[in-house]
């Protein structure tokens, strides 16, 4: 990783410390990022180095349902330090705290190495080692090491191929939850028939607890950047995301609005309860929801709950400077001469039976001239309103493009959650088709590009990052990381295709949100094209994907999304010509 520090001629010791701590934080963020090393091979167990990283991630979370505490938190407590998330926060500005944080993380890593090295009684061995080394009460960490050992055993005994054979024979498969291992280790063992969750229980109590700090972080991040609360946020809701996290994104919407679920004796969410402003401690934020087709199909009760929550908040007799939903609904009713029912619509999705935004297809096929075309396509696909009016009459799937445009005209922030350690925002095109398309549509409606944020709760120190920060982190940990691309190249043809997909999806963020720094394209070109040996390897494995990769770089340059140096431009042109000759059989 190339790092350039721009320093003033004379820095105070505090300024120097701040620069060093900022750099250390960035390096740790990259180093500790959990990334997939190669593609998943059906029926194959993970390598030991991947297993250690995975177990460290699992150990970082409290699991009250199992009466297990976060291992870093327990270590911090034994060392008489703040909680681990607080230690991480303080380490960004205090050198002593950074040293203490590194000590805690070193103990975590060594204790898990001890667990993996033990020949017998692994959990007891690791807990006793931590007790001797850091005075951690062994009984307080034995449960977490027992969980980690169970995960290890389950991962080492893969039954995916046997389960596939049983499924093809039409035999019964044991059910299991669908999620990410870090979020829910109960998904193990793999090879089971994935089930979803009860839609009437969304959001769960756990989701509400986890959503509050992320919601607070989102609001605080924007408050620090702009100097005021975001009045309106446009949010992407996905069905699979809410299955994996039991409705955490839904819970975030409710926290933004300043309401909480009301449950019946069967734990079904039946309504919402308003949180008083004095307890909320901030204004109620208006939320525009763009919902995936899968979410629409799987969670009709949740769609109704979200619509009802918005309408209830909009009708509260509160000052408009503390209730932005009421403020925007009132303004729209007076300015646009529309009814309360029309002005309060906030839940939008596709027409019944339709899915996706198609923004990804337009970008991938290069079927756009101006970026505003992408926003228009998003509006066309996602402008169907869902909910009930004041009389209780349903308007499920009613086309309401003007209502969506008006709602997006107030938007200052667009936002989405990252739902898995395995699939990031440049691994698939769905992130940029949704969040990117929404951002472009909001930019057109509001006349200015909104701030774009993503929530990352995949580590104990969950945080909200800007889109630009997230793209940089993804580029450094995956596409430009030799550990990642060399692992991909071991898969041959499909591995090269995966590298090309990373670049293409990165390009998608340029097209929809202008969120990709010039150096990322420079580094991609230097890594995969300017290096003759690497280019030869890629071409021998999959010339078709290399051709697509080089053409995508040329497109980024041609559209003005990347300022390529002349020598890189020349090499790209030369390479694409050679690849076309090769693919057409003109040359070997």
């Amino acid at each position: 990783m190339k790092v350039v520090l721009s320093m003033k001629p004379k820095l105070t010791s505090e300024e120097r410390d701040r620069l060093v701590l900022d750099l250390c934080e960035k390096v740790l963020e990259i180093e500790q990022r959990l990334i997939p090393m190669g593609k998943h091979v059906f029926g194959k167990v993970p390598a030991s180095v991947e297993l250690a990283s995975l177990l460290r991630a699992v150990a970082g979370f409290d699991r009250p349902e199992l009466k297990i505490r976060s291992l870093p938190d327990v270590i911090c407590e034994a060392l008489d330090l703040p909680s681990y998330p607080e230690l991480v926060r303080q380490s960004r500005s205090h050198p002593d705290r950074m040293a203490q944080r590194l000590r805690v993380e070193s103990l975590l890593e060594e204790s898990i190495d001890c667990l993996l090295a033990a020949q017998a009684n692994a959990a007891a061995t690791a807990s006793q080692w931590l007790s001797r080394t850091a005075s951690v009460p062994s009984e307080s960490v034995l449960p977490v090491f027992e969980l980690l050992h169970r995960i290890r055993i389950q991962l080492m005994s893969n039954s995916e191929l046997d389960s596939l054979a049983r499924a093809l024979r039409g035999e019964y498969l044991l059910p299991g939850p669908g999620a990410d291992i870090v979020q829910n280790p109960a998904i193990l063992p793999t090879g089971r028939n994935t089930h979803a969750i009860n839609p009437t229980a969304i959001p769960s109590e756990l989701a509400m607890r986890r959503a509050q700090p992320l919601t607070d972080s989102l609001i605080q991040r924007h408050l620090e950047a702009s100097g005021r609360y975001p009045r309106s946020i446009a949010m992407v809701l996905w069905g699979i995301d809410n299955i994996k996290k039991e409705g955490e994104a839904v819970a975030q919407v409710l926290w933004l609005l300043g309401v909480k679920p009301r449950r019946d004796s069967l734990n079904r969410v039946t309504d919402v309860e308003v949180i008083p402003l004095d307890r909320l401690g901030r204004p109620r934020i208006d939320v525009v929801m763009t919902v995936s087709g899968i979410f629409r199909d799987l969670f009709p009760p949740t769609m109704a709950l979200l619509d009802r929550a918005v309408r209830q908040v909009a009708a509260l007799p509160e000052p408009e400077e503390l209730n932005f939903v009421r403020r925007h609904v009132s303004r729209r009713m007076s300015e646009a001469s529309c009814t309360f029912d029309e002005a309060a619509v906030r839940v939008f999705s596709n027409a019944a039976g339709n899915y996706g935004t198609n923004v990804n297809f337009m970008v991938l096929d290069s079927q756009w001239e101006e970026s505003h075309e992408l926003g228009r396509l998003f509006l066309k696909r996602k402008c169907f309103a869902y909910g009930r009016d004041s009389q209780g009459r349903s308007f499920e799937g009613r086309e309401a493009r003007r209502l969506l445009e008006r709602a997006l005209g107030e938007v200052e922030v667009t936002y989405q959650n990252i739902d898995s350690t395995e699939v990031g925002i440049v691994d698939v095109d769905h992130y940029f088709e949704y969040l990117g398309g929404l951002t472009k549509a909001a930019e057109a409606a509001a006349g200015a590009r909104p701030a774009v944020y993503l929530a990352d709760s995949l580590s104990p120190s969950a945080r909200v990052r800007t889109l630009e920060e997230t793209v940089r982190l993804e580029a450094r940990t995956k596409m430009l990381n030799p550990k990642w691309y060399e692992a991909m190249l071991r898969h041959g043809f499909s591995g090269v295709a995966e590298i090309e997909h990373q670049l293409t999806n990165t390009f998608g963020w340029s097209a929809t949100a202008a969120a990709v720094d010039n150096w990322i394209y420079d580094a991609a070109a230097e890594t995969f094209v300017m290096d003759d040996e690497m280019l030869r390897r890629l071409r021998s494995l999959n010339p078709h994907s290399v051709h697509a990769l080089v053409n995508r770089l040329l497109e980024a340059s041609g559209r003005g999304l990347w300022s390529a140096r002349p020598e890189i431009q020349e090499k790209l042109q030369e390479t694409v010509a050679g690849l076309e000759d090769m693919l057409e059989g003109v040359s070997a």
Side-chain angles (χ1 to χ4, degrees):
M1 179 183 70
K2 184 184 293 184
V3 177
V4 179
L5 291 178
S6 177
M7 292 190 175
K8 295 185 291 185
K10 293 182 180 179
L11 295 176
T12 66
S13 60
E14 288 185 1
E15 288 172 329
R16 279 197 304 273
D17 287 347
R18 168 65 71 176
L19 282 172
V20 171
L21 289 171
D22 284 347
L23 177 59
C24 187
E25 173 64 26
K26 293 296 182 187
V27 172
L28 287 172
E29 184 179 42
I30 294 167
E31 180 186 5
Q32 295 172 355
R33 187 76 168 173
L34 190 62
I35 60 171
M37 299 299 289
K39 299 168 76 70
H40 176 67
V41 178
F42 206 70
K44 183 179 178 182
V45 300
S48 58
V49 66
E50 295 176 53
L51 180 58
S53 298
L54 177 62
L55 294 182
R56 285 197 296 272
V58 172
F61 288 91
D62 285 326
R63 304 188 189 276
E65 70 281 7
L66 300 175
K67 298 182 180 177
I68 288 175
R69 291 184 58 199
S70 155
L71 188 50
D73 266 351
V74 177
I75 295 172
C76 284
E77 186 176 280
L79 298 177
D80 198 25
L81 297 172
S83 69
Y84 180 69
E86 178 62 18
L87 181 63
V88 170
R89 189 189 68 78
Q90 293 182 17
S91 71
R92 295 168 190 157
S93 55
H94 297 287
D96 291 344
R97 289 303 197 203
M98 177 60 77
Q100 292 163 349
R101 171 187 172 182
L102 293 174
R103 167 71 171 152
V104 170
E105 290 169 354
S106 175
L107 287 168
L108 172 66
E109 183 174 350
E110 291 177 53
S111 66
I112 289 175
D113 288 344
C114 178
L115 176 83
L116 295 176
Q119 299 299 315
N121 300 319
T125 300
S127 61
Q128 290 164 10
W129 178 90
L130 199 52
S131 178
R132 291 192 305 270
T133 308
S135 300
V136 177
S138 58
E139 65 276 8
S140 68
V141 292
L142 184 59
V144 69
F145 283 121
E146 288 174 340
L147 170 64
L148 298 179
H149 183 61
R150 286 198 302 273
I151 292 173
R152 174 194 184 187
I153 297 302
Q154 289 172 324
L155 284 172
M156 291 298 103
S157 56
N158 193 301
S159 61
E160 291 172 351
L161 289 173
D162 290 339
S163 295
L164 175 62
R166 286 198 298 273
L168 292 174
R169 291 194 297 267
E171 297 175 5
Y172 175 75
L173 293 182
L174 290 172
D180 178 281
I181 293 177
V182 176
Q183 304 291 334
N184 183 9
I187 71 166
L188 296 174
T190 59
R192 293 185 289 172
N193 190 12
T194 301
H195 64 73
I197 53 178
N198 178 2
T200 65
I202 291 295
S204 70
E205 295 283 4
L206 176 62
M208 287 298 294
R209 287 198 304 271
R210 295 187 60 176
Q212 184 174 9
L214 274 174
T215 305
D216 292 343
S217 295
L218 170 63
I219 294 171
Q220 185 62 31
R221 184 73 198 265
H222 188 73
L223 185 61
E224 292 171 356
S226 66
R228 61 185 176 86
Y229 288 102
R231 296 188 177 92
S232 182
I233 293 176
M235 196 167 165
V236 174
L237 300 179
W238 281 354
I240 302 302
D241 172 14
N242 279 279
I243 290 173
K244 288 179 178 178
K245 294 191 174 183
E246 301 179 0
E248 190 174 307
V250 173
Q252 290 173 12
V253 174
L254 299 184
W255 280 119
L256 288 167
L257 293 170
V259 299
K260 59 183 180 181
R262 180 178 294 150
R263 303 175 192 274
D264 65 13
S265 59
L266 298 177
N267 197 39
R268 295 175 301 191
V269 178
T270 58
D271 205 346
V272 294
E273 178 183 335
V274 173
I275 301 170
L277 283 170
D278 57 349
R279 279 177 46 206
L280 191 62
R282 57 163 174 82
R284 304 187 194 278
I285 312 300
D286 197 355
V287 187
V288 182
M289 291 152 270
T290 53
V291 175
S292 73
I294 292 177
F295 187 106
R296 173 202 62 206
D297 294 347
L298 293 180
F299 299 106
T302 311
M303 298 269 281
L305 178 79
L306 292 171
D307 174 68
R308 193 158 60 250
V310 171
R311 293 170 183 277
Q312 191 166 332
V313 169
L316 291 173
E318 295 175 337
E320 291 187 359
E321 64 271 16
L322 294 176
N323 185 332
F324 297 141
V325 186
R326 177 180 173 86
R327 170 180 175 162
H328 294 154
V329 168
S330 299
R331 178 189 299 175
R332 202 157 303 136
M333 289 172 65
S334 61
E335 293 179 356
S337 299
C338 62
T339 66
F340 175 87
D341 288 329
E342 292 174 324
V345 172
R346 292 294 185 276
V347 183
F348 297 89
S349 187
N350 299 81
N354 288 337
Y355 302 86
T357 72
N358 288 358
V359 169
N360 51 336
F361 300 133
M362 183 177 274
V363 170
L364 298 181
D365 295 339
S366 304
Q367 296 298 315
W368 56 287
E369 294 296 329
E370 302 292 339
S371 61
H372 61 76
E373 296 173 39
L374 304 174
R376 284 205 302 266
L377 178 59
F378 183 91
L379 278 172
K380 180 179 178 180
R381 296 284 298 176
K382 305 299 291 188
C383 70
F384 295 84
Y386 287 79
R388 290 182 178 273
D389 63 20
S390 302
Q391 307 303 314
R393 295 171 299 204
S394 171
F395 49 83
E396 303 293 300
R398 188 187 77 190
E399 186 171 3
R401 176 166 179 155
R402 187 58 186 150
L403 295 182
L404 177 56
E405 283 182 311
R406 286 173 179 165
L408 291 179
E410 306 283 358
V411 163
E412 300 170 41
V413 170
T414 56
Y415 174 69
Q416 188 172 3
N417 290 276
I418 300 175
D419 67 4
S420 171
T421 57
E422 298 173 354
V423 181
I425 67 166
V426 295
D427 288 301
V428 294
D429 54 18
H430 301 304
Y431 276 106
F432 80 76
E433 74 152 316
Y434 271 88
L435 183 59
L438 173 61
T439 299
K440 187 55 66 177
E443 179 182 359
R449 179 185 179 274
V452 191
Y453 296 102
L454 290 119
D456 180 350
S457 59
L458 307 177
S459 66
S461 51
R463 63 180 64 185
V464 172
R465 298 185 182 90
T466 66
L467 173 59
E468 290 80 2
E469 289 168 347
T470 308
V471 169
R472 291 175 199 132
L473 181 61
E474 293 268 305
R476 285 175 170 137
T477 55
K478 292 182 182 175
M479 182 173 65
L480 304 177
N481 181 356
K483 288 185 178 180
W484 181 85
Y485 62 69
E486 288 294 346
M488 284 297 169
L489 289 177
R490 289 198 290 271
H491 295 287
F493 185 93
S494 64
V496 179
E498 195 64 34
I499 293 170
E500 183 270 320
H501 293 160
Q502 287 274 320
L503 178 70
T504 294
N505 294 331
T506 300
F507 170 84
W509 288 114
S510 285
T512 57
V516 184
D517 297 331
N518 209 68
W519 67 262
I520 294 177
Y521 288 117
D522 283 341
E526 290 164 0
T527 301
F528 302 114
V529 183
M530 302 300 285
D531 184 327
D532 290 334
E533 176 57 24
M534 174 60 76
L535 181 60
R536 183 195 63 76
R537 290 173 64 194
L538 297 173
R539 190 164 44 199
S540 68
L541 292 170
N542 185 343
H544 300 277
S545 288
V546 181
H547 182 259
L549 182 149
V550 176
N551 267 326
R552 195 66 70 184
L553 286 169
L554 286 170
E555 182 179 4
S557 175
R559 290 184 182 275
L561 303 174
W562 168 41
S563 300
R565 300 194 304 272
E567 65 272 22
I568 293 181
Q569 188 80 15
E570 183 178 344
K571 176 71 171 181
L572 293 173
Q573 296 285 3
E574 173 189 318
T575 302
V576 80
L579 284 164
E580 286 172 354
D581 287 345
M582 178 182 176
L583 294 172
E584 293 171 4
V586 177
S587 62

